[in-house]
C-alpha cells in the first residue's frame, strides 16, 4: 500500500497526536477519518483481489494437466504473496513432477506446508485467506472532547456513491491479467554463399 504526500502529512499529524495528545481542529479530525476510510477501502480491495486470485488458482488447478503452465505461474505468484499451499496444490504438483518448474515448486511448497503445520501445532495461527477487516476508527485521543468542549455530532457529509461488491461484475482473468506476450524470435541470419 502506498501513500501520497497529502496522506503522509495526515498520517504524520495523527501519529504526533497519538504520541502527544492535544486538541485537534475539526479539519484534522476529518482528514484522519478520510485517511482511515481510504485505508479500510484499500484493505478491502486487497482482500477481494486475494479472493479472486485464489479462485483463479483453483480454476487452473481443476483444469490440469491442460493448464499446467498457467497454474504454475499463478502458484508462483501466490506463493510470493504469502499463499499457504493446500493439499490439493501438493497433489497437483506431484502429478506434474515431470516438469522441472513443478518439481522445484513441489519442494518449495512442501517446506512451506511443513512450516505451516508446525506453526499450527505450536498454537500459532496461520492465515489461509485475507486478513479480517480492521475495526473502524471512531475517536482520536486528544480530539475535541479532550479540550473540554462539548462533543458535537460530525457535520453531515454526502459520501460519493461507490459501487458495492455486488453492483459490478467479476472481472475475467484476461481483463485483470493480460496475456503475457512472448518476445518475437530473432530472425535467423543467413550466410551469403
Amino acid at each position: 500500500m502506498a501513500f501520497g504526500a497529502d496522506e503522509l502529512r495526515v498520517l504524520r499529524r495523527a501519529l504526533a497526536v497519538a504520541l502527544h495528545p492535544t486538541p485537534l481542529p475539526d479539519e484534522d479530525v476529518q482528514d484522519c477519518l478520510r485517511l482511515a476510510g481510504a485505508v479500510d477501502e484499500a484493505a478491502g480491495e486487497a482482500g477481494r483481489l486475494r479472493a479472486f486470485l485464489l479462485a483463479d488458482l483453483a480454476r487452473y488447478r481443476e483444469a490440469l494437466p491442460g493448464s499446467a503452465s498457467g497454474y504454475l505461474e499463478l502458484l508462483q505468484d501466490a506463493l510470493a504473496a504469502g499463499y499457504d499451499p493446500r493439499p490439493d496444490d501438493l497433489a497437483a504438483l506431484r502429478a506434474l513432477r515431470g516438469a522441472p518448474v513443478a518439481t522445484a515448486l513441489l519442494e518449495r511448497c512442501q517446506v512451506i506446508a511443513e512450516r505451516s503445520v508446525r506453526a499450527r501445532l505450536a498454537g500459532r495461527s496461520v492465515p489461509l485467506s485475507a486478513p479480517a477487516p480492521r475495526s473502524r476508527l471512531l475517536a482520536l485521543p486528544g480530539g475535541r472532547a479532550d479540550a473540554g468542549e462539548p462533543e458535537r455530532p460530525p457535520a453531515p457529509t454526502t459520501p460519493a456513491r461507490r459501487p458495492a461488491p455486488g453492483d459490478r461484475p467479476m472481472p475475467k482473468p484476461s481483463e485483470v491479467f493480460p496475456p503475457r506476450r512472448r518476445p518475437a524470435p530473432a530472425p535467423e541470419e543467413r550466410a551469403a554463399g
Side-chain angles (χ1 to χ4, degrees):
M1 183 180 309
F3 290 107
D6 290 336
E7 293 166 327
L8 285 176
R9 277 191 287 277
V10 171
L11 186 58
R12 186 179 305 142
R13 283 193 313 245
L15 290 173
V17 167
L19 293 173
H20 306 287
T22 59
L24 287 176
D26 286 343
E27 183 180 321
D28 286 353
V29 172
Q30 291 302 319
D31 287 344
C32 289
L33 291 174
R34 276 192 292 277
L35 179 61
V39 169
D40 286 341
E41 185 178 333
E45 189 62 32
R48 286 189 291 277
L49 178 61
R50 181 175 171 87
F52 173 77
L53 291 176
L54 293 179
D56 205 25
L57 183 65
R59 282 191 292 274
Y60 274 82
R61 186 176 50 237
E62 290 168 7
L64 286 172
S67 63
S69 64
Y71 171 72
L72 294 174
E73 284 182 34
L74 280 174
L75 184 58
Q76 286 175 329
D77 293 344
L79 291 172
Y83 174 67
D84 190 18
R86 298 192 171 113
D88 292 344
D89 295 309
L90 296 172
L93 289 171
R94 284 186 191 103
L96 297 172
R97 214 179 302 184
V101 174
T103 303
L105 271 174
L106 177 59
E107 291 173 10
R108 182 176 171 196
C109 286
Q110 286 173 329
V111 169
I112 293 170
E114 183 178 331
R115 190 179 316 137
S116 174
V117 168
R118 287 179 191 269
R120 275 191 230 120
L121 290 175
R124 292 177 280 163
S125 65
V126 178
L128 293 176
S129 61
R134 65 183 187 82
S135 59
R136 298 282 306 158
L137 177 65
L138 299 176
L140 292 173
R144 289 183 39 203
D146 286 354
E149 298 177 21
E151 193 168 339
R152 293 181 294 200
T157 57
T158 340
R161 166 84 168 99
R162 288 195 176 98
D167 289 353
R168 57 182 174 223
M170 177 68 83
K172 297 178 196 167
S174 61
E175 295 171 338
V176 177
F177 306 103
R180 295 182 181 176
R181 305 281 184 225
R182 293 199 170 108
E188 296 180 338
E189 295 180 9
R190 298 187 182 180

